[in-house]
Amino acid sequence: MEQFAVIVKPVIIIWDRPEETKENREKKIVSSIADEGIYGMGLRIRGGEEQGFYPVITAYHYPGYVRKEDVELTGLSALINWEEGGLMVTDGEFVDIMSLPKVQGVRIISVPRGALIKVLEFESMEPGWALVELFDGQRGFVRNQYLRPKEYSQSGLWTGKLPQKEIVDEKEFRQAVVENAMQYLGTQYRWGGRTSLGIDCSGLTSQSYLISGIIIFRDAKIQAGFPVREIPKEEMLPGDLMYFPGHIAMYMGNGRYIHSTGKIGSSGVVINSLNTEAADYREDLAKSWYASGSIF
């Protein structure tokens, strides 16, 4: 019988192996981080426990390993009930869930942008506060200004298919994914990160698409089976993607692009330009830019 899990900590690491470190080509010990999971997201367990880790696959079809204490095992029916029970996405850099609909309440948990929380009443007994429920059944309150509709489905965990939202207005969708990326502007670069606490290049692009309902590949390349296809560079429009060796960015229009970079002196989520005369022109990226991609 298939087993599933739900992430029950604000942010967890998804490792590429059942251990936290590995040796790189230079024989140095580095992190095995591959991705991050956010509170409320579901996972499918791919096998038995290994040294305190569960092998998993995410709803966006990315494999890895998680520490068993970071998740709560659940059955398919409970996961579907959670998925279909009124989930919304947290939409603040870091969002507090309180014991009372007051700022003086006890803080139950704080979660980053992108967490999934069950909303029982969007407007509760106090104006501006939503009554919410955590996966363990504990209830609390969150400012409803920090909630947004959940536009993507996690049904791929049990169907094996990548569910994609139907896009009604292309221009509106393109604007939305750029705005999503802009919300992370200034966030520090974190290898494997995908939250407002730290994010990497493909974490930024994949999360920006995910919260608008479209699942693209988690890594910095065009991958078969996902909706992004290569397009001529000159046909790029806002929201399209730019590919470099080991790096990805999102085109914003007018020759500008947003990305999360580890470059010394300009690290984190920043905006750069393809205009050679611009102060924020990145020659190294302009020269190594090898492809553009679009879901349209």
Side-chain angles (χ1 to χ4, degrees), residues 274-293:
L274 293 169
N275 180 359
T276 57
E277 304 300 317
D280 54 2
Y281 172 68
R282 280 276 302 267
E283 182 180 17
D284 60 327
L285 290 180
K287 288 185 174 180
S288 63
W289 172 31
Y290 71 86
S292 292

Side-chain angles (χ1 to χ4, degrees), residues 232-244:
K233 293 179 180 179
E234 61 273 13
E235 293 182 8
M236 280 195 310
L237 293 173
D240 287 335
L241 302 169
M242 303 168 64
Y243 293 87
F244 314 83

